[in-house]
Amino acid sequence: MSVFIDTSLRLLAWLILAPLLPGVINKVKAWVAGRQGPPVLQLYYDLARLWRKGVVISTLASPGFIIAPAVAWVAVIGAAALLPLAGADAPVSFDGDVLLLVYLLALARFCTAWGAMETGSAFEGMGAAREVSYAILAEVGIITAILTLAVQSGSISLSSMFEPLPGPSAALLAVGLFIILLAENCRVPFDDPNTHLELTMIHEVMVLDHSGPPLAMILHGASVKLMLFAVFLAQAVLPLSEVPLVMSLALLALAVLLVAVAVGLVESLTARLAFRRVPLLLTIGFLFCLFPLLLTWMGEI
Amino acid sequence: MTPTLLGTAALALLLAMVLGGARPRLWLGLNSLGALAGLGAALVVLVSGHGLTWRGDFVLGGENVVLLLDAISALFLVLVCLVGGLGAVYAMEYWSDHHFPRSAPRGRVWWSALVLSMGLVLTCGNGLHFLFVWEAFALSAYFLITLDNDRAEVRRAGWLYLAASHAGTMALFAFFSALAAGTGSWELGPMHAHPGLAPLFWLALFGFGVKAGIFPLHIWLPSAHAGAPSHVSAIMSAVAIKMGVYGIVRFSGWLPIPDGAGWAVLGIGCASALLGIVFAMAQNDLKRLLAYCSVENVGIIMIGLGLALLAAAHGHPVWGQAALAGAFLHVLNHGLFKSLLFFGAGSVLHATGTRDMSRLGGLWQAMPWTAALFALGAAAVSGLPPLNGFVSEWAIYQGLLRAVIEKGQTFGVLPAVIVLAGTGALALAAFAKAAAVVFLGAPRGRTALQAAECGWAMRLPMIVPAVVMVCIGLMPGLFLRPVQGAIAAWAPRWAATDPLIPARALGGTHTVLACVLAAAAFLILRKVRANGTRRAMTWDCGYAAPTPHMQYTSGSFAGIVSGWFAWIVRPEKRTRRVRGHFPESALALERIPETVLEKGIGPAARTVLLLADAAKNMQHGRLHLYILYVFLGVTALGLLAVQGGM
């Protein structure tokens, strides 16, 4: 019974807290620009409204157009549920669950690309092609980061994988994972979530024709994915397993908030990259994950 | 019971070969009976764990007939019988007498011959007989590939297959002869007592590697799989290349292994996996894409096997077993989803008459069954949970990660992890492209508009593998247990250790995930219906009149990745723009060459021919010059002798 309650609480935390992050990012951006900006809870209002709206479906689209966002949403939530939260173990934990997490995110990507291709639009096809192509580099980077954690902790299960890294490795890994976070969540400098009519975007362009409840699932799933990457980054870098549970939870929340602020600052202070530079930056992210791996292998400095 | 079943299977297939040419229904019955009986025999061996060794009294070619069926061969036999049976059902509609009155009877005969000879390859326990049945298998596959021999493209593909296959067979002739000379007998079995035989492993790796389609030896595979009728492509890709894998697995278990073999197999696996899927991504031909994807999957199997060889060499049974379990399961998994995908591609080809993805699109409306099943296969081949492809890749990952975290001498497998991750993401990109470009959006050509769904005889062979795939995904433990028997047959000293694969936990998680996915899909459909829907033209940021030609095509979808790998893919592009006062119509053509064949082996072969042509000038019929040759030759020999004498 306690397992059941624990799982429900954890899922509720993911579902309810995740839409806060985009709100925080937008507030930071508004603050830097000297504007008032939308309220922090804006995404909640949007989701509630979208959930009640009707749906416009392209004449070309199959039922997969509606189902794909739901599958992607479940996959992202499932991946989030696998992640332990600051010493509180995940409800399911087994050797190799970290790979399930990576491949659940891949399932979400497959479904998003599928949904985009349903409409037969040039624009959305372009987004799908970019998404799946850049994700190759991002996935390689994530696996490298996971290898670093696995080599450091000597474990391939998420519950015991987050051992404290030595300082330099932790710093390098933080930068690498942050770059991958920006790419995978379609933030500046890879993508611009603000411009809806720009020829150079990735994620936003894939969801142009979605509306109503499926769009709500896509937006909510995107916020959960952002929080998932932030939590993963925080746990990989901070020695959370060494402090008491309550303290570590507080630290984790603070770290996630800081990541959101950092995303907002990056978004305010830098411009989007030219598209041919995107693979270059992703490769740099991969290298930032590779160096700590080599450091961990060679031994402590 | 096993001998009876095997005997029934052989007899039924033999009868199907003899009688099937004229009577399609009788052939289907006999072929299905043979496949079912063989499947039964294989399952009995896998479930009971007791192999079969049968020594015949009669002599063939101076050697006693010996049949062996242990867990390894039984595992491959399952695949042979499954696809051999289903493909026959598929062929009844796909390659019927009505449409192909000349080649259909021939196709039936060779189909049963292929299934029978592959079964014999798996059960043969004598080197000499192995060569016989191996040749029979290669030839029946050749006649099946060239079934449609009115087309020049098919004849060329068949010729290339035959040449490549015999290059491999030549190595196998040398291999089995050297084996017989080394052990003093043609009988096959564990040969660890003769450490001098270790170098022969390389010969086996080449000979069987040609058939398996590992990277630089895969040259015959794309054109043969693309040109053959789709049920033949399915059995070639899902089963026939696995005979090569079987040979490598079998003899890596029996032979003493040379140093460095594990690393070599691992490296070959990485190269095949990565480059195979890169070439697949770049293809515009649906069946060529699937064929290159087979190169990738054989690469993944080789990564698992290479890791197992390393584990055996360094004495790490735990992760060796995990990797080998993954490799064996991937053999089965790839057979399942690749036959499903080729059957699906055949159904598309049947309905539209083209394999060119740039002319297809929007087929889900006309062919909902094919579209749904192909999408399932695409998700499985991309290794997505909760399907079977993830289970086997996950087991191989387990072996790799355990090898890395031990930080021992095997830390060098680290690049393989990164390659496998990149391969997984590339496979997803390639199959998102294949499924989406063919089945979604608007039809790109007139052919795609007139498509119709295939009949049940073609649908059933797609449904059966799909069901098994879902079962493997949801109950991996049930399928990993028979694989344990195959591992014990490969490395008997590993039988006592527990592989530490948490299959139950994964199966449980997959089951929960599948239930939640189904529930979410149902609920969102209901919610959307309750909220009210409206059909409208694709908005696409306000395009007033979108046409099908504006859609992303297969070439543009793959553009980013084939740009990264242009150094090896080398796409040949021809464009014509609208220019000048009297412009011609615009044109953009792209062809993806088979780089190894056209840029490597082709030029080398042309050089040899040129040299041979030049040598022809020496043969002119002038006697006095011939006498000069002889004189010069004798003088040179004499000088050599004098030099040597001093």
Side-chain angles (χ1 to χ4, degrees):
Chain A
M1 197 60 200
S2 68
V3 177
F4 184 69
I5 294 172
D6 177 63
T7 314
S8 324
L9 275 178
R10 184 186 298 270
L11 277 178
L12 272 180
W14 280 104
L15 295 179
I16 292 176
L17 291 180
L20 264 182
L21 288 191
V24 172
I25 294 175
N26 283 337
K27 250 316 182 229
V28 171
K29 281 164 69 178
W31 175 70
V32 173
R35 292 182 285 117
Q36 193 181 359
V40 176
L41 300 182
Q42 183 63 46
L43 186 54
Y44 294 91
Y45 307 141
D46 290 350
L47 290 176
R49 167 165 295 189
L50 282 172
W51 191 249
R52 292 194 305 269
K53 279 202 164 194
V55 180
V56 183
I57 305 175
S58 161
T59 40
L60 298 173
S62 77
F65 185 66
I66 307 289
I67 295 173
V71 172
W73 184 75
V74 171
V76 172
I77 306 287
L82 285 174
L83 212 57
L85 291 173
D89 278 346
V92 190
S93 164
F94 51 90
D95 278 358
D97 53 358
V98 62
L99 298 164
L100 186 60
L101 185 145
V102 173
Y103 277 79
L104 277 172
L105 292 178
L107 175 63
R109 191 162 73 232
F110 186 82
C111 290
T112 323
W114 178 276
M117 295 297 284
E118 285 268 8
T119 56
S121 98
F123 217 19
E124 287 166 55
M126 183 191 68
R130 285 175 178 169
E131 166 94 349
V132 295
S133 304
Y134 294 141
I136 297 165
L137 291 173
E139 191 160 310
V140 164
I142 295 172
I143 282 284
T144 314
I146 287 170
L147 274 173
T148 311
L149 299 176
V151 171
Q152 174 69 24
S153 64
S155 156
I156 55 173
S157 163
L158 277 168
S159 58
S160 48
M161 194 175 236
F162 296 108
E163 289 282 314
L165 282 164
S169 302
L172 287 170
L173 194 66
V175 176
L177 278 175
F178 188 67
I179 293 177
I180 292 167
L181 176 145
L182 293 177
E184 277 283 286
N185 293 287
C186 310
R187 314 298 311 196
V188 173
F190 293 94
D191 195 356
D192 195 341
N194 282 340
T195 57
H196 270 271
L197 290 176
E198 170 102 40
L199 259 174
T200 47
M201 22 181 215
I202 307 174
H203 186 263
E204 288 296 325
V205 77
M206 288 201 291
V207 302
L208 276 178
D209 263 87
H210 284 285
S211 53
L215 182 60
M217 283 186 140
I218 290 170
L219 292 180
H220 187 259
S223 70
V224 173
K225 190 175 170 190
L226 178 62
M227 186 148 122
L228 187 154
F229 272 86
V231 168
F232 188 90
L233 168 65
Q235 300 202 73
V237 174
L238 298 177
L240 291 178
S241 54
E242 292 180 349
V243 286
L245 183 62
V246 180
M247 172 107 158
S248 70
L249 274 177
L251 263 178
L252 182 66
L254 190 68
V256 171
L257 205 62
L258 271 179
V259 171
V261 172
V263 172
L265 285 176
V266 168
E267 216 140 289
S268 312
L269 302 177
T270 60
R272 192 172 37 67
L273 274 182
F275 252 99
R276 31 190 185 82
R277 299 275 168 79
V278 166
L280 197 67
L281 185 56
L282 271 172
T283 313
I284 291 173
F286 161 65
L287 289 178
F288 267 109
C289 295
L290 185 66
F291 286 134
L293 174 58
L294 297 179
L295 283 179
T296 320
W297 174 40
M298 310 282 258
E300 282 73 26
I301 297 183
Chain B
M1 185 158 149
T2 324
T4 327
L5 282 172
L6 280 180
T8 317
L11 196 68
L13 285 169
L14 211 57
L15 281 176
M17 259 174 78
V18 178
L19 303 175
R23 301 182 193 80
R25 278 168 189 278
L26 180 67
W27 169 73
L28 184 65
L30 284 171
N31 194 80
S32 308
L33 175 67
L36 281 177
L39 194 64
L43 288 181
V44 165
V45 169
L46 281 177
V47 171
S48 70
H50 298 299
L52 163 86
T53 314
W54 181 79
R55 223 165 265 280
D57 295 330
F58 58 99
V59 171
L60 198 70
E63 289 291 322
N64 264 339
V65 173
V66 182
L67 291 187
L68 284 178
L69 186 67
D70 65 351
I72 298 181
S73 29
L75 191 76
F76 285 84
L77 192 60
V78 167
L79 212 53
V80 170
C81 294
L82 198 67
V83 182
L86 291 174
V89 178
Y90 189 84
M92 290 298 281
E93 183 180 339
Y94 181 76
W95 209 262
S96 62
D97 278 305
H98 178 64
H99 292 292
F100 302 93
R102 277 181 52 223
S103 59
R106 217 171 35 192
R108 286 195 289 273
V109 173
W110 287 116
W111 181 273
S112 295
L114 180 69
V115 176
L116 181 62
S117 57
M118 286 199 292
L120 287 175
V121 164
L122 294 175
T123 46
C124 191
N126 184 296
L128 194 64
H129 299 155
F130 190 96
L131 286 172
F132 279 122
V133 291
W134 183 263
E135 191 59 21
F137 149 55
L139 285 181
S140 37
Y142 167 75
F143 286 113
L144 277 175
I145 289 172
T146 53
L147 216 50
D148 193 12
N149 55 14
D150 292 339
R151 284 157 51 211
E153 166 207 15
V154 171
R155 290 197 301 273
R156 261 202 311 277
W159 172 242
L160 182 62
Y161 161 75
L162 203 62
S165 173
H166 278 94
T169 310
M170 216 149 66
L172 290 185
F173 263 95
F175 169 68
F176 281 104
S177 316
L179 214 57
T183 57
S185 146
W186 282 97
E187 285 206 7
L188 301 175
M191 292 161 228
H192 297 286
H194 306 272
L197 292 178
L200 288 183
F201 176 75
W202 302 114
L203 213 52
L205 187 62
F206 175 80
F208 289 117
V210 172
K211 203 52 128 199
I214 56 180
F215 182 66
L217 308 177
H218 70 282
I219 47 165
W220 61 273
L221 200 145
S223 56
H225 289 191
S230 296
H231 59 297
V232 178
S233 318
I235 201 166
M236 287 299 290
S237 193
V239 187
I241 61 170
K242 299 294 163 28
M243 297 297 114
V245 174
Y246 168 75
I248 297 175
V249 169
R250 178 50 95 193
F251 286 98
S252 62
W254 277 347
L255 281 177
I257 295 302
D259 293 334
W263 291 112
V265 173
L266 191 70
I268 291 171
C270 286
S272 300
L274 188 62
L275 295 176
I277 196 65
V278 164
F279 274 96
M281 176 83 190
Q283 299 303 316
N284 297 320
D285 178 328
L286 181 57
K287 284 175 74 178
R288 274 181 90 88
L289 186 150
L290 295 177
Y292 275 111
C293 167
S294 298
V295 177
E296 178 228 343
N297 281 286
V298 167
I300 293 177
I301 295 167
M302 288 294 134
I303 290 178
L305 180 66
L307 197 63
L309 285 172
L310 279 178
H314 292 96
H316 294 283
V318 172
W319 49 260
Q321 269 191 319
L324 199 59
F328 277 137
L329 197 59
H330 204 73
V331 167
L332 192 62
N333 283 341
H334 176 245
L336 288 167
F337 48 61
K338 197 43 70 68
S339 49
L340 165 61
L341 288 169
F342 264 119
F343 288 150
S347 162
V348 169
L349 182 59
H350 194 64
T352 63
T354 180
R355 309 191 304 251
D356 186 354
M357 287 190 271
S358 314
R359 295 182 195 284
L360 297 169
L363 287 179
W364 73 268
Q365 237 154 351
M367 319 174 70
W369 280 89
T370 310
L373 289 166
F374 193 94
L376 190 77
V381 73
S382 313
L384 298 180
L387 292 171
N388 61 343
F390 177 70
V391 177
S392 46
E393 286 193 28
W394 173 77
I396 294 177
Y397 266 122
Q398 291 244 331
L400 285 169
L401 289 179
R402 283 185 203 280
V404 168
I405 59 177
E406 266 176 26
K407 295 200 209 180
Q409 291 158 304
T410 47
F411 197 77
V413 302
L414 199 145
V417 187
I418 296 175
V419 167
L420 199 55
T423 307
L426 271 163
L428 186 144
F431 279 93
K433 164 182 130 163
V437 170
V438 172
F439 291 105
L440 303 181
R444 289 181 179 78
R446 232 171 299 133
T447 46
L449 273 172
Q450 296 153 353
E453 182 63 284
C454 56
W456 280 101
M458 281 165 74
R459 235 176 277 173
L460 186 76
M462 291 193 264
I463 295 172
V464 174
V467 170
V468 183
M469 276 157 52
V470 172
C471 288
I472 296 182
L474 301 187
M475 295 174 281
L478 192 68
F479 291 85
L480 276 168
R481 212 169 308 131
V483 165
Q484 289 296 321
I487 295 173
W490 192 79
R493 62 185 185 286
W494 284 358
T497 30
D498 182 26
L500 296 181
I501 306 176
R504 281 181 74 100
L506 183 72
T509 318
H510 271 179
T511 310
V512 171
L513 181 67
C515 294
V516 177
L517 284 178
F522 175 70
L523 288 177
I524 190 81
L525 280 175
R526 254 188 55 172
K527 174 73 184 162
V528 166
R529 191 166 308 146
N531 282 15
T533 60
R534 191 159 61 80
R535 286 275 175 179
M537 202 171 64
T538 298
W539 176 54
D540 204 14
C541 287
Y543 272 41
T547 77
H549 290 289
M550 288 179 176
Q551 292 177 93
Y552 246 46
T553 60
S554 111
S556 43
F557 198 96
I560 299 175
V561 173
S562 44
W564 291 344
F565 289 92
W567 53 275
I568 182 135
V569 175
R570 295 171 181 272
E572 292 163 2
K573 286 184 184 151
R574 197 158 75 82
T575 50
R576 196 168 63 207
R577 290 180 188 286
V578 178
R579 269 211 189 103
H581 296 294
F582 302 101
E584 288 177 278
S585 60
L587 181 80
L589 291 176
E590 188 187 46
R591 198 183 81 89
I592 309 293
E594 164 44 55
T595 308
V596 178
L597 182 66
E598 294 179 27
K599 313 279 161 161
I601 293 174
R606 273 195 293 281
T607 316
V608 171
L609 283 181
L610 270 179
L611 288 176
D613 252 3
K616 212 164 60 185
N617 292 333
M618 291 168 68
Q619 192 83 340
H620 35 57
R622 279 178 240 154
L623 193 61
H624 52 287
L625 281 182
Y626 286 173
I627 294 172
L628 181 66
Y629 293 160
V630 172
F631 175 72
L632 285 178
V634 170
T635 316
L637 272 179
L639 277 177
L640 210 66
V642 170
Q643 287 280 324
M646 282 164 72

